[in-house]
């Protein structure tokens, strides 16, 4: 686990966390198909759904400090977008 504190933020913010793991990659998708000799991803709408990152979205009222936690297991990537919410 990685804990992070971001200081100096005040107000309401939209927070979006994206997680990419080994189970939502093109390689894993093709493995499940048995590595076909030919594959046209442009005609397969399932590919976009299968390889899309897990997403967690929420708004938070922040008073000087935002605490974020990341749980990274194995080969994975997590990233966060923080944007002020206009009132």
């Amino acid at each position: 686990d990685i804990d992070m504190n971001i200081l100096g933020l005040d107000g309401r913010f939209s927070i979006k966390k994206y997680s990419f793991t080994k189970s939502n990659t093109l390689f894993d998708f093709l493995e499940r198909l048995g590595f076909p000799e030919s594959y046209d991803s442009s005609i397969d709408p399932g590919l976009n759904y299968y390889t899309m990152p897990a997403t967690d979205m929420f708004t938070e009222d922040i008073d000087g400090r935002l605490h974020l936690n990341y749980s990274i297991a194995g080969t994975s990537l997590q990233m966060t977008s923080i944007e002020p919410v206009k009132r």
Side-chain angles (χ1 to χ4, degrees):
D1 280 6
I2 297 173
D3 288 312
M4 178 185 300
N5 290 304
I6 300 175
L7 305 175
L9 294 177
D10 288 301
R12 177 168 277 204
F13 288 82
S14 168
I15 301 164
K16 299 173 188 139
K17 292 175 78 176
Y18 303 94
S19 299
F20 298 88
T21 66
K22 67 177 184 167
S23 65
N24 61 353
T25 65
L26 177 60
F27 183 79
D28 186 62
F29 181 73
L30 292 175
E31 179 184 36
R32 290 173 185 254
L33 294 177
F35 292 109
E37 288 190 28
S38 65
Y39 175 73
D40 186 359
S41 63
S42 65
I43 61 169
D44 188 353
L47 174 65
N48 289 336
Y49 176 78
Y50 187 83
T51 58
M52 142 171 97
T55 307
D56 184 21
M57 295 182 275
F58 55 96
T59 55
E60 184 142 344
D61 292 313
I62 302 170
D63 187 19
R65 180 181 72 130
L66 172 64
H67 175 80
L68 296 171
N69 175 271
Y70 299 93
S71 296
I72 300 173
T75 305
S76 62
L77 168 73
Q78 291 187 354
M79 62 185 203
T80 302
S81 168
I82 303 167
E83 299 177 21
V85 173
K86 295 181 175 118
R87 295 181 185 213

